[in-house]
Amino acid sequence: MNYDNPSSLIQLTIQSLLKDDNLAISSLKDIPDALLPSLFLKAHIQGCYKTLKAIVLSWPFERLPLGSLVHDRAPENPSFKAVMDGIDVLIKQKVSPRCRLQVLDLQFTGQKFWNTWTGSHLQAYSQKRELMSEGTSKKEKATPYLEVCVDLYLGEEQVDRFSTYLLNWTKKRKGVHLSYKTVRIHYLTRKYFRFLYAVSCCDIMELGIHCTLLFSTLRMLANLLGMLSNLKRMVVCIKIPTATTPEKAEWRLLSINNFTSECSQLLHLQELYLESPSFLKDHLHCLFRCFNTSLEVFSLTNCRFRKKILTHVFQSPCISQLKDLCLKGVPLTSVSKCLRSLLEVNASTLQQLDLGLCGLQDPQLEVLLPALSSCSQLRSFSLHGNRLSMATLEKLLSCTSGLSRLKLELYPAPLESFSPQGVLQPATFRLHCTQIIKILKDLRHSRSIVVSTGQCSSCAEKMFRNGEPIILPCKSCVRKFKKLSIE
């Protein structure tokens, strides 16, 4: 250890304090606010639970992001129990004016806080951008007031013990509000609906639905959507049964219409992810007709739609200020002109664009090139799994060379790299890669691209992980990728 380094001396001091809980607790009043996160983190790691409880009483920040540290979501977790014991003291007794704690965050977020204040690099659990809430959930604050934020998971088993414990814990304490910010549903019953109605629906900012629903359950879900007034992100991966009689067909249509119409209540929705939404196959335009908000993220994947419906959706005002657009696995050959218009409308804001596995060929991409060249904010772009010739790829590289922010590019191997039967010709592929490198050098633009010879969508996702182009394909595709770069 370098004792001339201030950070080393700080760590040495913290280690010394944590050798004795009583010493650490008595020293809290003299420790600067900026060092308390480091002391808290070390106390958590080393199991100094008395010190953890005492730090809560002196916490100088409005938010304590405990969820990013306590991965074991159980009431018996020692660190969680120590923090909750400290909060009980905060509620019952007068404490030092130093304590500013207003929000106990038990979500799997908060890595940025710990990275900033302690220098520790904690693993992020989601690649999606963190949603921000506007202050605490209630308009009128009780005194003292504490908001407990947590994620809720509903699966085939009963509601998890941790969520039930928190719900009962908050009911027994005045001035404490339980706030479910993220709800993920993988199984839905009437019992679960009763549980959801018991929580504060206006707190929910993210909803993920990944299950098969009966017509009646879809209608109940629609009624719930009408209560989610602050929802900002919605992920929909729903399947519903096909209708076998005219009566069931009418009931099915009514259920879908209820679902789409209730979406008009989502006035703060920013991100919409529709994953294989076959139940909306003939109703997607109705859904967009109901939206009264401008989306920042729109993802529509793995489903086939009629040209008329896609045309209507692409012309919707609610997707005219997009930052992210993903249409992976949606055939787009018949709507290339409408897609060009959509890209032109979003040219000044679009940062992420995924057109992988969309069945695009040379004629469709030729139509898109002028619009692509005007997307000045574009940072990542995927055409993975489409059928493009070497001549079109060369035009594409030239067209996008003026996009200074573009750092992540995933393109298909040229069609000429394959035999008429679709078999990869390795020697020809290497030759085309050499040509691509020469094109990049001639353009004199520093960039790195990934050329894929496969059609594995999971590999394509891995290419964009953690903000850098990395080669981590699955075993069946391990020989199907080549990274080309020019500095």
Side-chain angles (χ1 to χ4, degrees):
M1 181 177 288
N2 180 7
Y3 293 95
D4 294 327
N5 187 338
S7 62
S8 300
L9 292 174
I10 290 171
Q11 293 302 318
L12 191 64
T13 302
I14 290 174
Q15 291 287 359
S16 178
L17 286 173
L18 292 178
K19 289 179 180 179
D20 184 343
D21 276 324
N22 293 328
L23 175 61
I25 293 169
S26 63
S27 302
L28 285 177
K29 62 181 182 297
D30 301 318
I31 297 178
D33 292 353
L35 296 187
L36 280 184
S38 294
L39 183 63
F40 185 97
L41 182 60
K42 286 292 184 182
H44 160 69
I45 293 172
Q46 297 183 18
C48 303
Y49 304 119
K50 290 183 180 180
T51 301
L52 271 186
K53 176 181 175 180
I55 295 174
V56 172
L57 304 182
S58 299
W59 192 248
F61 306 94
E62 292 186 359
R63 181 178 294 267
L64 174 54
L66 185 65
S68 53
L69 303 181
V70 179
H71 303 157
D72 175 20
R73 287 166 54 97
E76 301 83 8
N77 183 284
S79 291
F80 171 74
K81 190 173 183 302
V83 170
M84 300 306 276
D85 288 344
I87 287 174
D88 268 334
V89 176
L90 282 175
I91 294 172
K92 295 175 183 178
Q93 300 178 4
K94 291 183 179 180
V95 294
S96 165
R98 183 183 190 184
C99 183
R100 299 177 58 202
L101 183 60
Q102 294 183 29
V103 179
L104 174 63
D105 189 351
L106 298 174
Q107 302 173 100
F108 294 128
T109 56
Q111 291 83 1
K112 185 177 179 180
F113 173 89
W114 298 109
N115 294 348
T116 300
W117 288 100
T118 72
S120 300
H121 297 286
L122 303 180
Q123 180 182 359
Y125 284 82
S126 174
Q127 298 303 315
K128 295 187 177 76
R129 57 173 62 89
E130 187 173 345
L131 299 175
M132 303 302 295
S133 59
E134 291 79 18
T136 49
S137 297
K138 289 188 175 180
K139 294 181 180 179
E140 296 180 0
K141 298 182 180 180
T143 305
Y145 179 84
L146 179 76
E147 183 178 23
V148 180
C149 300
V150 68
D151 296 338
L152 176 63
Y153 173 85
L154 298 177
E156 291 193 22
E157 302 295 331
Q158 60 182 346
V159 178
D160 65 271
R161 240 174 10 103
F162 190 66
S163 296
T164 305
Y165 168 83
L166 286 173
L167 188 61
N168 293 331
W169 185 87
T170 52
K171 285 180 178 179
K172 296 176 182 177
R173 289 160 177 81
K174 293 183 179 180
V176 179
H177 176 65
L178 180 60
S179 174
Y180 287 105
K181 298 295 186 183
T182 299
V183 176
R184 294 185 176 89
I185 301 173
H186 290 260
Y187 194 74
L188 202 50
T189 63
R190 292 182 180 273
K191 181 180 179 181
Y192 283 169
F193 274 112
R194 288 195 295 270
F195 183 89
L196 288 171
Y197 288 137
V199 305
S200 179
C201 290
C202 64
D203 295 326
I204 299 174
M205 298 173 62
E206 178 176 352
L207 175 66
I209 316 159
H210 309 263
C211 53
T212 299
L213 302 178
L214 300 175
F215 303 152
S216 58
T217 314
L218 182 61
R219 294 191 70 181
M220 293 175 68
L221 176 64
N223 294 334
L224 180 67
L225 284 181
M227 302 169 62
L228 306 183
S229 56
N230 289 311
L231 192 69
K232 295 189 175 183
R233 177 184 294 143
M234 183 165 67
V235 182
V236 178
C237 184
I238 292 176
K239 295 180 180 179
I240 62 175
T242 55
T244 55
T245 66
E247 292 79 10
K248 288 184 178 180
E250 184 177 352
W251 183 241
R252 186 180 193 272
L253 178 60
L254 183 60
S255 301
I256 294 174
N257 287 341
N258 282 350
F259 178 85
T260 56
S261 62
E262 286 296 340
C263 287
S264 64
Q265 305 299 316
L266 306 179
L267 301 179
H268 298 284
L269 192 68
Q270 298 174 356
E271 303 181 16
L272 177 63
Y273 301 83
L274 301 176
E275 301 176 358
S276 304
S278 56
F279 79 105
L280 291 173
K281 187 174 182 180
D282 297 317
H283 307 275
L284 188 64
H285 59 301
C286 300
L287 176 67
F288 275 80
R289 192 181 297 137
C290 294
F291 281 133
N292 296 306
T293 182
S294 291
L295 297 175
E296 293 184 3
V297 177
F298 175 49
S299 175
L300 177 66
T301 60
N302 302 319
C303 196
R304 184 181 296 272
F305 297 91
R306 287 183 288 127
K307 177 180 178 179
K308 181 179 179 180
I309 290 179
L310 281 180
T311 299
H312 183 95
V313 170
F314 288 173
Q315 293 173 348
S316 172
C318 72
I319 54 172
S320 60
Q321 300 179 44
L322 291 174
K323 292 182 179 178
D324 294 6
L325 174 61
C326 175
L327 298 170
K328 185 172 63 179
V330 177
L332 299 174
T333 51
S334 64
V335 290
S336 55
K337 291 183 179 179
C338 293
L339 179 58
R340 179 184 64 189
S341 298
L342 178 63
L343 295 179
E344 289 172 346
V345 168
N346 290 279
S348 62
T349 58
L350 196 61
Q351 298 176 8
Q352 319 282 340
L353 177 61
D354 189 345
L355 301 177
L357 300 168
C358 291
L360 296 175
Q361 300 184 36
D362 290 353
Q364 291 84 37
L365 198 64
E366 292 271 3
V367 172
L368 298 179
L369 287 179
L372 286 172
S373 65
S374 64
C375 294
S376 57
Q377 304 301 311
L378 199 62
R379 297 178 182 176
S380 72
F381 178 37
S382 172
L383 278 170
H384 164 76
N386 292 291
R387 295 173 57 82
L388 305 176
S389 67
M390 184 63 198
T392 298
L393 279 177
E394 183 173 357
K395 291 178 184 177
L396 176 63
L397 293 172
S398 177
C399 169
T400 55
S401 63
L403 304 180
S404 59
R405 296 176 181 267
L406 186 57
K407 301 299 179 185
L408 303 174
E409 302 173 71
L410 178 59
Y411 298 134
L415 276 177
E416 294 87 346
S417 302
F418 301 88
S419 70
Q421 292 75 33
V423 179
L424 178 69
Q425 306 298 303
T428 308
F429 176 58
R430 285 193 294 269
L431 178 62
H432 287 304
C433 286
T434 302
Q435 287 181 260
I436 292 174
I437 291 177
K438 182 179 184 304
I439 293 169
L440 294 176
K441 288 181 177 179
D442 291 342
L443 292 172
R444 298 181 180 180
H445 176 56
S446 178
R447 61 202 295 187
S448 179
I449 70 172
V450 174
V451 178
S452 163
T453 65
Q455 290 193 346
C456 175
S457 59
S458 63
C459 290
E461 290 170 359
K462 291 177 183 177
M463 292 302 124
F464 291 87
R465 186 170 296 169
N466 298 329
E468 293 185 5
I470 56 175
I471 308 298
L472 285 175
C474 63
K475 292 181 180 179
S476 62
C477 299
V478 72
R479 296 172 184 259
K480 297 184 179 180
F481 293 85
K482 191 173 184 69
K483 179 180 175 182
L484 308 175
S485 61
I486 178 70
E487 300 299 333

